[in-house]
Amino acid sequence: MSDKKGFTTTILHSDRLLKPEFGALHQPVHNAVTWGYDDVQGLVNVFQNKTKGYAYSRQGNPTTTALEHKVTQMEQGLATVSFATGMAAISSTILALIKAGDHIIASSYLFGNTRSIMQTYMEMGLSISFVDATDVQNIKNAYQENTRMVFVETIANPATQISDLGAIGDFCEDKKLIYVVDNTMTSPYLFRPVAVKASLIINSLTKYIGGHGNALGGSVTDTGLFDWLSFPNIAPIIREQIRPEMQGMTQIRKRGLRDGGGTLAPEAAHSISVGSETIALRLERACSNAATLAEFLDKHSLISKVYYPGLKSHPQHELASSLFHRYGGLLSFALVDGIDCFKFLNELKLVIKSSNLGDTRTLAIPVAHTIFFELGKERRDEMGIPDSMVRLSVGIEDTEDLIGDFSAAFEAVSN
């Protein structure tokens, strides 16, 4: 029998193969805050990075370590650091690696909160250029001698623009830039950013990996492709103590997680780990539902536009087809003039009005009035977000029930 196993088989048996106590199939929840040593030298060795172990749970414990191992396997990476949320993973990664005087190039279509933290860093003096990342030429035009990082998403939320992922990866490799790819909207089941030469992969574990709307979490995974010896911002003490391929992850864990404090709770880590076991099953159903719903909405007279990479009319449909296993469970649509999106949403009885993504249930939210409200109309227009846009995170309900719910809502608002 081959040692190489499939995606779901690997996840299902990940905890068991770490050999938890008493033959448990899942890593237990370790609630300890601190860890004792019979010999103080053992504690000192952990602090000085001479041996693996645990000293204080702000920077990890066995439960979060097991989840990190599982995410690393999913992403076919080198190592992972987990955080309390996806936003903690993003902000801590930048905090740990970028210094005053450095420059970042970021997609202009970033999720609202990611854009917001970038704006906060800009107000603190960091230089960030936002560009249309669907064309690598815009990345090249924004490049400066002090550029250290390029930050993009796989599928933008909510208007579903797709970055020119492969070409950007080639450019970052040539210029020795840290290439950060937020894989939340696709997840490692639909896409592995290591294939486009990503250096670091961000996942909001809250979304498709956890998948049940019951635990917050985030992660950053090192693919092992970036040469940290070429990166000038690694701290001297880490440069001296840590082998080259682990220097980036160690600095993120020390300066981002330990110092930033965005620690993933063990209970949440356990819930996410168990939830991850069904990611393939959930995403196959959610993607199928999303594709059917997108086709239905695209033909409806009360819809002016549908945003979904699976539609042939999508500007990056061919790119999405070449990159992703399926087109995702996220779609958005704009209603025609004269239809109140609030009234329409309130007519939906099965679909839940909610701000989350990647749940087993289908969720809907009016985008301009909520998650992108603080950006203002000018930036929403720049990102292709009309006032009537509704974002859907499509769940795993029976397809005919979803179509029926939307049909009834359309009928109600058209009378």
Side-chain angles (χ1 to χ4, degrees):
M1 181 182 292
S2 171
D3 289 336
K4 183 170 181 169
K5 301 297 189 294
F7 184 89
T8 296
T9 302
T10 299
I11 299 170
L12 279 172
H13 293 273
S14 178
D15 277 2
R16 179 180 68 84
L17 294 177
L18 292 177
K19 300 189 181 302
E21 291 180 310
F22 312 117
L25 299 185
H26 289 113
Q27 180 71 32
V29 178
H30 290 267
N31 285 312
V33 170
T34 192
W35 310 85
Y37 289 80
D38 293 332
D39 184 342
V40 72
Q41 187 62 51
L43 179 61
V44 170
N45 288 342
V46 170
F47 265 87
Q48 295 184 4
N49 300 309
K50 293 179 180 177
T51 60
K52 292 183 178 180
Y54 304 96
Y56 190 66
S57 284
R58 189 177 344 111
Q59 54 186 315
N61 74 15
T63 310
T64 56
T65 296
L67 175 61
E68 290 165 358
H69 175 65
K70 189 173 286 190
V71 174
T72 300
Q73 290 177 302
M74 290 187 206
E75 290 288 12
Q76 295 183 334
L78 174 69
T80 296
V81 178
S82 60
F83 293 86
T85 65
M87 285 308 306
I90 292 169
S91 59
S92 297
T93 296
I94 296 173
L95 177 70
L97 298 176
I98 303 301
K99 292 184 177 182
D102 289 345
H103 174 245
I104 296 174
I105 303 171
S107 169
S108 58
Y109 305 121
L110 291 179
F111 171 58
N113 293 140
T114 307
R115 177 91 180 218
S116 180
I117 191 62
M118 295 274 190
Q119 183 63 40
T120 298
Y121 283 136
M122 289 173 70
E123 292 168 2
M124 296 169 65
L126 195 62
S127 175
I128 303 177
S129 298
F130 294 98
V131 303
D132 179 353
T134 62
D135 185 348
V136 68
Q137 190 59 48
N138 296 321
I139 302 286
K140 293 178 178 179
N141 293 343
Y143 174 75
Q144 303 172 15
E145 288 302 314
N146 62 333
T147 302
R148 297 282 180 256
M149 176 183 288
V150 174
F151 191 110
V152 301
E153 298 164 336
T154 51
I155 300 176
N157 165 20
T160 70
Q161 299 94 339
I162 298 169
S163 296
D164 195 359
L165 295 167
I168 297 172
D170 290 339
F171 177 73
C172 290
E173 179 184 48
D174 179 60
K175 296 294 185 181
K176 299 187 185 316
L177 304 176
I178 298 175
Y179 183 24
V180 182
V181 177
D182 188 327
N183 199 26
T184 298
M185 289 298 97
T186 33
S187 86
Y189 177 66
L190 299 184
F191 177 64
R192 284 180 168 132
V194 68
V196 294
K197 303 177 181 177
S199 311
L200 300 174
I201 304 168
I202 300 289
N203 278 289
S204 171
L205 303 176
T206 312
K207 310 303 191 293
Y208 293 107
I209 291 178
H212 291 78
N214 62 349
L216 292 168
S219 65
V220 55
T221 300
D222 189 328
T223 63
L225 297 180
F226 186 74
D227 178 13
W228 292 103
L229 290 178
S230 70
F231 188 63
N233 294 354
I234 297 297
I237 188 68
I238 291 176
R239 192 78 84 192
E240 293 168 7
Q241 292 183 334
I242 306 299
R243 66 184 192 271
E245 66 271 21
M246 287 299 296
Q247 289 176 4
M249 278 284 94
T250 301
Q251 186 149 309
I252 290 171
R253 185 176 293 279
K254 298 290 187 181
R255 293 190 167 188
L257 177 61
R258 181 197 64 190
D259 297 351
T263 306
L264 178 63
E267 295 89 346
H270 181 76
S271 293
I272 292 166
S273 184
V274 173
S276 73
E277 295 175 354
T278 58
I279 183 174
L281 305 178
R282 290 183 282 104
L283 266 169
E284 286 291 342
R285 179 60 173 260
C287 291
S288 178
N289 276 347
T292 301
L293 198 53
E295 293 284 354
F296 167 77
L297 294 170
D298 196 43
K299 297 173 183 175
H300 202 284
S301 61
L302 297 185
I303 297 293
S304 64
K305 186 173 183 178
V306 177
Y307 308 77
Y308 186 65
L311 294 174
K312 292 182 179 179
S313 58
H314 191 282
Q316 291 93 43
H317 173 71
E318 290 186 8
L319 178 61
S321 300
S322 69
L323 289 171
F324 309 142
H325 169 58
R326 298 289 293 267
Y327 298 105
L330 173 77
L331 70 90
S332 299
F333 61 87
L335 294 156
V336 298
D337 292 342
I339 301 296
D340 187 312
C341 70
F342 284 23
K343 182 179 179 182
F344 174 77
L345 284 169
N346 286 335
E347 291 293 340
L348 293 169
K349 307 305 179 188
L350 181 64
V351 176
I352 301 166
K353 278 70 76 177
S354 176
S355 64
N356 192 24
L357 291 166
D359 202 310
T360 49
R361 295 156 283 266
T362 298
L363 314 174
I365 192 168
V367 177
H369 310 83
T370 55
I371 52 178
F372 282 87
F373 176 73
E374 292 182 16
L375 288 184
K377 182 168 175 53
E378 181 178 348
R379 286 188 178 167
R380 288 197 299 270
D381 289 344
E382 172 192 327
M383 299 175 71
I385 301 172
D387 288 345
S388 65
M389 177 182 278
V390 173
R391 186 193 73 186
L392 297 178
S393 171
V394 182
I396 62 172
E397 296 94 343
D398 293 299
T399 311
E400 55 270 25
D401 292 331
L402 287 173
I403 298 295
D405 197 34
F406 276 91
S407 296
F410 282 128
E411 183 176 354
V413 297
S414 61
N415 292 333

PDB file of all heavy atoms in Angstrom, residues 270-289:
ATOM      1  N   HIS A 270      -9.583  22.409  19.055  1.00  0.00           N
ATOM      2  CA  HIS A 270     -10.167  21.064  18.995  1.00  0.00           C
ATOM      3  C   HIS A 270     -11.397  21.050  18.089  1.00  0.00           C
ATOM      4  O   HIS A 270     -11.547  20.157  17.239  1.00  0.00           O
ATOM      5  CB  HIS A 270     -10.532  20.598  20.402  1.00  0.00           C
ATOM      6  CG  HIS A 270     -11.122  19.222  20.448  1.00  0.00           C
ATOM      7  ND1 HIS A 270     -10.365  18.085  20.312  1.00  0.00           N
ATOM      8  CD2 HIS A 270     -12.412  18.806  20.585  1.00  0.00           C
ATOM      9  CE1 HIS A 270     -11.150  17.016  20.380  1.00  0.00           C
ATOM     10  NE2 HIS A 270     -12.396  17.436  20.547  1.00  0.00           N
ATOM     11  N   SER A 271     -12.272  22.051  18.235  1.00  0.00           N
ATOM     12  CA  SER A 271     -13.477  22.117  17.396  1.00  0.00           C
ATOM     13  C   SER A 271     -13.121  22.260  15.921  1.00  0.00           C
ATOM     14  O   SER A 271     -13.717  21.616  15.050  1.00  0.00           O
ATOM     15  CB  SER A 271     -14.360  23.303  17.831  1.00  0.00           C
ATOM     16  OG  SER A 271     -14.898  23.103  19.117  1.00  0.00           O
ATOM     17  N   ILE A 272     -12.144  23.115  15.636  1.00  0.00           N
ATOM     18  CA  ILE A 272     -11.715  23.321  14.248  1.00  0.00           C
ATOM     19  C   ILE A 272     -11.112  22.035  13.682  1.00  0.00           C
ATOM     20  O   ILE A 272     -11.390  21.648  12.536  1.00  0.00           O
ATOM     21  CB  ILE A 272     -10.707  24.477  14.162  1.00  0.00           C
ATOM     22  CG1 ILE A 272     -11.403  25.799  14.485  1.00  0.00           C
ATOM     23  CG2 ILE A 272     -10.056  24.540  12.786  1.00  0.00           C
ATOM     24  CD1 ILE A 272     -10.447  26.946  14.762  1.00  0.00           C
ATOM     25  N   SER A 273     -10.309  21.366  14.487  1.00  0.00           N
ATOM     26  CA  SER A 273      -9.665  20.136  14.039  1.00  0.00           C
ATOM     27  C   SER A 273     -10.692  19.065  13.680  1.00  0.00           C
ATOM     28  O   SER A 273     -10.591  18.412  12.636  1.00  0.00           O
ATOM     29  CB  SER A 273      -8.712  19.619  15.124  1.00  0.00           C
ATOM     30  OG  SER A 273      -8.011  18.482  14.693  1.00  0.00           O
ATOM     31  N   VAL A 274     -11.686  18.890  14.537  1.00  0.00           N
ATOM     32  CA  VAL A 274     -12.736  17.902  14.256  1.00  0.00           C
ATOM     33  C   VAL A 274     -13.552  18.326  13.039  1.00  0.00           C
ATOM     34  O   VAL A 274     -13.850  17.519  12.155  1.00  0.00           O
ATOM     35  CB  VAL A 274     -13.641  17.705  15.491  1.00  0.00           C
ATOM     36  CG1 VAL A 274     -14.821  16.808  15.155  1.00  0.00           C
ATOM     37  CG2 VAL A 274     -12.847  17.122  16.652  1.00  0.00           C
ATOM     38  N   GLY A 275     -13.877  19.620  12.964  1.00  0.00           N
ATOM     39  CA  GLY A 275     -14.645  20.107  11.822  1.00  0.00           C
ATOM     40  C   GLY A 275     -13.930  19.919  10.501  1.00  0.00           C
ATOM     41  O   GLY A 275     -14.553  19.653   9.472  1.00  0.00           O
ATOM     42  N   SER A 276     -12.606  20.026  10.529  1.00  0.00           N
ATOM     43  CA  SER A 276     -11.828  19.943   9.291  1.00  0.00           C
ATOM     44  C   SER A 276     -11.928  18.576   8.620  1.00  0.00           C
ATOM     45  O   SER A 276     -11.684  18.453   7.420  1.00  0.00           O
ATOM     46  CB  SER A 276     -10.355  20.272   9.572  1.00  0.00           C
ATOM     47  OG  SER A 276      -9.705  19.214  10.270  1.00  0.00           O
ATOM     48  N   GLU A 277     -12.297  17.565   9.377  1.00  0.00           N
ATOM     49  CA  GLU A 277     -12.317  16.211   8.825  1.00  0.00           C
ATOM     50  C   GLU A 277     -13.323  16.066   7.680  1.00  0.00           C
ATOM     51  O   GLU A 277     -13.176  15.183   6.826  1.00  0.00           O
ATOM     52  CB  GLU A 277     -12.630  15.203   9.930  1.00  0.00           C
ATOM     53  CG  GLU A 277     -11.537  15.128  10.997  1.00  0.00           C
ATOM     54  CD  GLU A 277     -11.897  14.210  12.147  1.00  0.00           C
ATOM     55  OE1 GLU A 277     -13.047  13.709  12.183  1.00  0.00           O
ATOM     56  OE2 GLU A 277     -11.032  13.988  13.018  1.00  0.00           O
ATOM     57  N   THR A 278     -14.337  16.924   7.649  1.00  0.00           N
ATOM     58  CA  THR A 278     -15.376  16.814   6.610  1.00  0.00           C
ATOM     59  C   THR A 278     -15.292  17.935   5.579  1.00  0.00           C
ATOM     60  O   THR A 278     -16.236  18.156   4.826  1.00  0.00           O
ATOM     61  CB  THR A 278     -16.776  16.832   7.252  1.00  0.00           C
ATOM     62  OG1 THR A 278     -16.932  18.060   8.003  1.00  0.00           O
ATOM     63  CG2 THR A 278     -16.973  15.640   8.170  1.00  0.00           C
ATOM     64  N   ILE A 279     -14.165  18.634   5.503  1.00  0.00           N
ATOM     65  CA  ILE A 279     -14.071  19.781   4.591  1.00  0.00           C
ATOM     66  C   ILE A 279     -14.340  19.389   3.145  1.00  0.00           C
ATOM     67  O   ILE A 279     -15.044  20.102   2.422  1.00  0.00           O
ATOM     68  CB  ILE A 279     -12.706  20.489   4.738  1.00  0.00           C
ATOM     69  CG1 ILE A 279     -12.653  21.730   3.837  1.00  0.00           C
ATOM     70  CG2 ILE A 279     -11.547  19.562   4.474  1.00  0.00           C
ATOM     71  CD1 ILE A 279     -11.404  22.563   4.021  1.00  0.00           C
ATOM     72  N   ALA A 280     -13.827  18.265   2.696  1.00  0.00           N
ATOM     73  CA  ALA A 280     -14.038  17.858   1.308  1.00  0.00           C
ATOM     74  C   ALA A 280     -15.518  17.591   1.038  1.00  0.00           C
ATOM     75  O   ALA A 280     -16.057  18.016   0.005  1.00  0.00           O
ATOM     76  CB  ALA A 280     -13.207  16.619   0.983  1.00  0.00           C
ATOM     77  N   LEU A 281     -16.178  16.891   1.948  1.00  0.00           N
ATOM     78  CA  LEU A 281     -17.602  16.589   1.773  1.00  0.00           C
ATOM     79  C   LEU A 281     -18.432  17.867   1.772  1.00  0.00           C
ATOM     80  O   LEU A 281     -19.318  18.056   0.932  1.00  0.00           O
ATOM     81  CB  LEU A 281     -18.074  15.655   2.888  1.00  0.00           C
ATOM     82  CG  LEU A 281     -17.289  14.346   3.072  1.00  0.00           C
ATOM     83  CD1 LEU A 281     -17.838  13.561   4.249  1.00  0.00           C
ATOM     84  CD2 LEU A 281     -17.338  13.520   1.802  1.00  0.00           C
ATOM     85  N   ARG A 282     -18.140  18.752   2.719  1.00  0.00           N
ATOM     86  CA  ARG A 282     -18.904  20.004   2.814  1.00  0.00           C
ATOM     87  C   ARG A 282     -18.699  20.887   1.593  1.00  0.00           C
ATOM     88  O   ARG A 282     -19.645  21.464   1.045  1.00  0.00           O
ATOM     89  CB  ARG A 282     -18.513  20.755   4.086  1.00  0.00           C
ATOM     90  CG  ARG A 282     -18.994  20.098   5.368  1.00  0.00           C
ATOM     91  CD  ARG A 282     -18.643  20.921   6.593  1.00  0.00           C
ATOM     92  NE  ARG A 282     -17.253  20.799   7.000  1.00  0.00           N
ATOM     93  CZ  ARG A 282     -16.300  21.691   6.809  1.00  0.00           C
ATOM     94  NH1 ARG A 282     -16.581  22.820   6.169  1.00  0.00           N
ATOM     95  NH2 ARG A 282     -15.057  21.490   7.235  1.00  0.00           N
ATOM     96  N   LEU A 283     -17.440  21.026   1.164  1.00  0.00           N
ATOM     97  CA  LEU A 283     -17.167  21.930   0.053  1.00  0.00           C
ATOM     98  C   LEU A 283     -17.691  21.400  -1.272  1.00  0.00           C
ATOM     99  O   LEU A 283     -18.139  22.180  -2.124  1.00  0.00           O
ATOM    100  CB  LEU A 283     -15.671  22.217  -0.041  1.00  0.00           C
ATOM    101  CG  LEU A 283     -15.247  23.490   0.698  1.00  0.00           C
ATOM    102  CD1 LEU A 283     -13.742  23.589   0.808  1.00  0.00           C
ATOM    103  CD2 LEU A 283     -15.803  24.729   0.009  1.00  0.00           C
ATOM    104  N   GLU A 284     -17.669  20.107  -1.483  1.00  0.00           N
ATOM    105  CA  GLU A 284     -18.256  19.569  -2.703  1.00  0.00           C
ATOM    106  C   GLU A 284     -19.731  19.937  -2.789  1.00  0.00           C
ATOM    107  O   GLU A 284     -20.220  20.375  -3.832  1.00  0.00           O
ATOM    108  CB  GLU A 284     -18.080  18.046  -2.760  1.00  0.00           C
ATOM    109  CG  GLU A 284     -16.669  17.586  -3.083  1.00  0.00           C
ATOM    110  CD  GLU A 284     -16.253  17.887  -4.517  1.00  0.00           C
ATOM    111  OE1 GLU A 284     -17.130  18.133  -5.373  1.00  0.00           O
ATOM    112  OE2 GLU A 284     -15.032  17.895  -4.792  1.00  0.00           O
ATOM    113  N   ARG A 285     -20.439  19.789  -1.669  1.00  0.00           N
ATOM    114  CA  ARG A 285     -21.870  20.113  -1.658  1.00  0.00           C
ATOM    115  C   ARG A 285     -22.091  21.616  -1.774  1.00  0.00           C
ATOM    116  O   ARG A 285     -22.943  22.086  -2.544  1.00  0.00           O
ATOM    117  CB  ARG A 285     -22.505  19.576  -0.371  1.00  0.00           C
ATOM    118  CG  ARG A 285     -23.992  19.848  -0.199  1.00  0.00           C
ATOM    119  CD  ARG A 285     -24.828  19.232  -1.327  1.00  0.00           C
ATOM    120  NE  ARG A 285     -26.239  19.361  -1.035  1.00  0.00           N
ATOM    121  CZ  ARG A 285     -26.990  18.380  -0.531  1.00  0.00           C
ATOM    122  NH1 ARG A 285     -26.443  17.197  -0.257  1.00  0.00           N
ATOM    123  NH2 ARG A 285     -28.269  18.557  -0.302  1.00  0.00           N
ATOM    124  N   ALA A 286     -21.332  22.410  -1.016  1.00  0.00           N
ATOM    125  CA  ALA A 286     -21.498  23.866  -1.054  1.00  0.00           C
ATOM    126  C   ALA A 286     -21.177  24.424  -2.438  1.00  0.00           C
ATOM    127  O   ALA A 286     -21.888  25.302  -2.945  1.00  0.00           O
ATOM    128  CB  ALA A 286     -20.599  24.517  -0.002  1.00  0.00           C
ATOM    129  N   CYS A 287     -20.117  23.931  -3.062  1.00  0.00           N
ATOM    130  CA  CYS A 287     -19.749  24.403  -4.406  1.00  0.00           C
ATOM    131  C   CYS A 287     -20.805  24.017  -5.434  1.00  0.00           C
ATOM    132  O   CYS A 287     -21.112  24.795  -6.350  1.00  0.00           O
ATOM    133  CB  CYS A 287     -18.395  23.841  -4.809  1.00  0.00           C
ATOM    134  SG  CYS A 287     -17.002  24.503  -3.876  1.00  0.00           S
ATOM    135  N   SER A 288     -21.344  22.829  -5.299  1.00  0.00           N
ATOM    136  CA  SER A 288     -22.411  22.393  -6.210  1.00  0.00           C
ATOM    137  C   SER A 288     -23.642  23.269  -6.053  1.00  0.00           C
ATOM    138  O   SER A 288     -24.247  23.709  -7.039  1.00  0.00           O
ATOM    139  CB  SER A 288     -22.757  20.924  -5.933  1.00  0.00           C
ATOM    140  OG  SER A 288     -23.818  20.492  -6.756  1.00  0.00           O
ATOM    141  N   ASN A 289     -24.014  23.543  -4.801  1.00  0.00           N
ATOM    142  CA  ASN A 289     -25.155  24.428  -4.546  1.00  0.00           C
ATOM    143  C   ASN A 289     -24.908  25.831  -5.089  1.00  0.00           C
ATOM    144  O   ASN A 289     -25.787  26.457  -5.682  1.00  0.00           O
ATOM    145  CB  ASN A 289     -25.429  24.514  -3.038  1.00  0.00           C
ATOM    146  CG  ASN A 289     -26.272  23.371  -2.527  1.00  0.00           C
ATOM    147  OD1 ASN A 289     -26.870  22.626  -3.297  1.00  0.00           O
ATOM    148  ND2 ASN A 289     -26.313  23.222  -1.208  1.00  0.00           N
TER     149      ASN A 289
END
